[in-house]
Amino acid sequence: MNPFGYTRAGDVAEAVRTAASDGAAQFIAGGTNLVDLMKERITAPSRLIDITRLPLRAVESLPDGGLKIGALVSNHDLAYHPEVVARYPLLSQAILAGASPQLRNMASTGGNLLQRTRCYYFYDAALPCNKRAPGSGCPALAGVNRIHAILGASEQCIAVHPSDMCVALAALAATVHVTGPAGSRTIEFAAFHRLPGDTPERDTNLQPGELVTAVELPRQGFAAHASYLKVRDRHSYAFALVSVAAALELEDGKIAEARLALGGVAHKPWRDPTAEDLLRGRSPDDALFARVGEHLVRDARGRGHNDFKIALVRRAVVRALQQAVAGGSQA
Amino acid sequence: MLPVMGDETCAITLKVNGATLRLQVAPWTTLLDLLRERLGLTGTKKGCDHGQCGACTVLVDGVRINSCLSLAVMRDGASVTTVEGLAEGEALHPLQQAFIDHDAFQCGYCTPGQLCSAVGLLAEGHASTDDQIRELMSGNLCRCGAYPNIVAAIGQAMRPRRSA
Ligand SMILES: Cc1cc2nc3c(=O)[nH]c(=O)nc-3n(C[C@H](O)[C@H](O)[C@H](O)COP(=O)(O)OP(=O)(O)OC[C@H]3O[C@@H](n4cnc5c(N)ncnc54)[C@H](O)[C@@H]3O)c2cc1C
Ligand code: FES
Ligand code: FES
């Protein structure tokens, strides 16, 4: 690791002020991604702003029936929080499908949103990478790209966002609360992460110095019919090759409301409202689910090693929707 | 407002296996390196140094974490338990005894991490079946493949009466 300064922020205003005064400083929460990246010299902040003593650990029920989750709530505490287990089982399942118990004890809600890609080229400081060193090129395009994107990629970058939690948050239409030098604002989850386009160095639409303070879930939690399906190289402690968050509201045997989000396939959690439209108002059956899977990959493009993900999405979508109808978790 | 610390070393207080220590640490010192290199507690192992193996697992305020991804300065005021702190004098921790009873190791390299992780797992209380033990111990790799015996040992510690 390169040497760096250390500031322990006493309140949100101080954290934001310190970040605004030093553009090369970075916040640190659980450290499970940032310390790793610093060891690999992928990033070298001038200063770490320790936000772990900030009062952002509450999970509060809101008057409108929603739930507000502080940015420092650990992935463990969130996954097992009684309100989350009872009302948002999709979120609980997705978090528990990620990382390991030790890492989930450390990892924070805010940090999980901001974790960076696991692309091998991004992680190797000796190689070019448009995300790490803009303009240097993307070796994954013609290189080893088994874990890479099939949707929404660009000729600059085919990295994927690695989070499981974020796939559930996308399906649940969460909102992100942030505070920055210019004040506080909220960002719809779909507008939080970005597609790579010509600026793959930017993962999100956070502005410099902005701190995530909370994630808010709307009232509708799809508690009865939700399933997170994660397909990976080993059954635990591995990133997703493809994952599907499926949530349904069933009324009189018909799909009244549907949400689908995909992980492991794009630079952001992939939510396609037109796929959800296909489900709404219909009776749940496998033929319909297969059409939805087909629809989701209509613009997919494999790059060689990751071609298998296209077929995998088709099948995983069917299984996730079947599991959601049955009301259960991953078989 | 807490003080802004200097760019060189920071003064921290840590309780390690019951003893309160006042230390000066560089901000980039990981808890793992502090334990092994400064405090001579080499029971905790550095397997991968990247959060991928669990050999460095210790308990911080009773919660299992990967010490390789934890900066010591951020743990100011915390209580750390390593494998050296599990036994009470000559009396082994029930999990240590269970690992011996079940021959739950071969080379022993992963064992300190397995033990601390298992202590954390029992405290969390989310596992009751062998499948749940397997899933919730998945953050600890064992290159010798002692997994079946590790699961059996933890099962014994969790359900002491079954083995009696
Ligand atoms: C071996 C391994 C396996 C893993 N497997 C999985 C997996 O299967 N699925 C999965 O989803 N994840 C996985 N992870 C990733 C893990 O979930 C993330 O590292 C973790 O969620 C990051 O949270 P953190 O609090 O530790 O973030 P940190 O490392 O502290 O920070 C990460 C980034 O977020 C920024 N940041 C943190 N908090 C805030 C905030 N409040 N506001 C603004 N910026 C902030 C930091 O500046 C930094 O850039 C794995 C990690 C490891 C090491
Ligand atoms: S040394 Fe920390 S997880 Fe491998
Ligand atoms: S006993 Fe050898 S690595 Fe586990």
Side-chain angles (χ1 to χ4, degrees):
Chain A
M1 268 187 274
N2 293 314
F4 54 86
Y6 174 78
T7 300
R8 188 178 294 157
D11 56 38
V12 168
E14 186 193 359
V16 169
R17 208 167 45 242
T18 311
S21 70
D22 178 355
Q26 288 186 46
F27 301 122
I28 184 162
T32 60
N33 190 220
L34 188 53
V35 173
D36 192 29
L37 292 169
M38 289 168 68
K39 286 184 182 184
E40 298 280 10
R41 296 178 193 250
I42 306 307
T43 184
S46 57
R47 172 171 296 278
L48 288 185
I49 305 167
D50 178 354
I51 60 170
T52 58
R53 315 269 164 141
L54 300 181
L56 303 173
R57 288 185 191 273
V59 178
E60 308 162 63
S61 295
L62 299 173
D64 67 358
L67 196 70
K68 191 168 170 190
I69 302 154
L72 291 173
V73 175
S74 75
N75 287 185
H76 168 278
D77 289 358
L78 187 56
Y80 292 107
H81 192 282
E83 286 286 310
V84 174
V85 172
R87 295 177 50 207
Y88 305 96
L90 183 67
L91 180 57
S92 180
Q93 285 176 36
I95 294 171
L96 293 176
S100 71
Q102 291 96 313
L103 290 163
R104 295 194 294 265
N105 283 336
M106 301 170 78
S108 67
T109 302
N112 194 310
L113 263 53
L114 275 301
Q115 66 174 296
R116 308 215 65 195
T117 185
R118 309 302 285 204
C119 169
Y120 338 108
Y121 300 99
F122 174 75
Y123 249 89
D124 187 340
L127 296 175
C129 166
N130 286 328
K131 186 180 276 303
R132 177 166 33 73
S136 61
C138 173
L141 286 172
V144 179
N145 51 34
R146 184 167 179 273
I147 65 171
H148 289 78
I150 53 169
L151 288 164
S154 72
E155 291 310 305
Q156 313 302 318
C157 180
I158 58 170
V160 302
H161 193 265
S163 170
D164 292 295
M165 186 184 90
C166 290
V167 182
L169 291 177
L172 292 168
T175 311
V176 184
H177 292 243
V178 308
T179 299
S184 298
R185 63 182 181 121
T186 57
I187 308 170
E188 296 294 309
F189 207 78
F192 186 79
H193 296 96
R194 295 163 59 92
L195 289 178
D198 292 333
T199 52
E201 68 278 12
R202 291 192 63 194
D203 294 349
T204 71
N205 286 315
L206 271 191
Q207 296 304 311
E210 277 187 324
L211 178 79
V212 173
T213 57
V215 171
E216 183 177 332
L217 298 175
R219 184 188 51 78
Q220 193 170 26
F222 301 92
H225 297 286
S227 185
Y228 188 73
L229 173 66
K230 179 172 177 181
V231 186
R232 43 189 154 168
D233 283 325
R234 61 179 181 202
H235 195 64
S236 187
Y237 201 11
F239 287 94
L241 290 166
V242 163
S243 70
V244 185
L248 301 172
E249 202 71 68
L250 299 179
E251 264 172 40
D252 307 325
K254 292 254 194 313
I255 299 169
E257 177 59 350
R259 299 285 177 74
L260 273 178
L262 304 177
V265 297
H267 197 258
K268 60 187 284 191
W270 189 262
R271 186 166 163 220
D272 176 349
T274 64
E276 297 166 3
D277 291 342
L278 292 179
L279 289 161
R280 234 170 259 122
R282 310 292 302 274
S283 306
D285 71 61
D286 291 357
L288 172 65
F289 296 165
R291 273 208 306 288
V292 171
E294 196 62 54
H295 181 78
L296 276 162
V297 293
R298 67 197 178 283
D299 296 323
R301 168 163 177 210
R303 304 278 174 164
H305 301 113
N306 67 352
D307 291 350
F308 72 96
K309 284 191 179 182
I310 299 174
L312 197 53
V313 166
R314 282 196 201 101
R315 294 172 195 165
V317 163
V318 172
R319 170 125 77 97
L321 285 165
Q322 288 168 339
Q323 288 178 179
V325 171
S329 53
Q330 176 160 6
Chain B
M1 194 169 85
L2 282 151
V4 174
M5 304 203 179
D7 287 23
E8 311 238 308
T9 61
C10 310
I12 63 166
T13 305
L14 270 189
K15 204 179 209 186
V16 180
N17 297 331
T20 300
L21 309 174
R22 282 175 217 296
L23 302 157
Q24 277 301 126
V25 295
W28 49 89
T29 307
T30 62
L31 180 58
L32 175 60
D33 287 343
L34 178 75
L35 292 169
R36 288 181 55 87
E37 311 297 332
R38 285 273 296 281
L39 305 181
L41 294 169
T42 52
T44 308
K45 298 292 184 259
K46 184 184 280 193
C48 66
D49 213 20
H50 291 284
Q52 299 177 0
C53 77
C56 66
T57 304
V58 299
L59 299 151
V60 173
D61 296 327
V63 174
R64 52 177 166 162
I65 60 132
N66 306 79
S67 61
C68 68
L69 294 182
S70 184
L71 297 177
V73 65
M74 292 176 66
R75 300 298 177 177
D76 187 13
S79 174
V80 180
T81 305
T82 68
V83 70
E84 290 91 343
L86 292 183
E88 305 251 5
E90 292 300 302
L92 292 182
H93 187 283
L95 268 162
Q96 289 174 309
Q97 187 57 53
F99 268 56
I100 293 171
D101 294 347
H102 288 271
D103 205 6
F105 44 82
Q106 258 180 61
C107 75
Y109 192 85
C110 72
T111 313
Q114 301 277 2
L115 285 167
C116 288
S117 188
V119 172
L121 171 135
L122 295 190
E124 287 159 14
H126 304 306
S128 48
T129 66
D130 283 358
D131 268 349
Q132 288 164 340
I133 294 173
R134 269 188 283 274
E135 170 58 28
L136 293 176
M137 285 297 292
S138 72
N140 294 82
L141 305 192
C142 173
R143 293 301 295 271
C144 298
Y147 298 112
N149 297 1
I150 293 171
V151 172
I154 296 170
Q156 168 179 317
M158 197 181 313
R159 304 176 284 260
R161 266 162 302 174
R162 198 178 72 171
S163 61

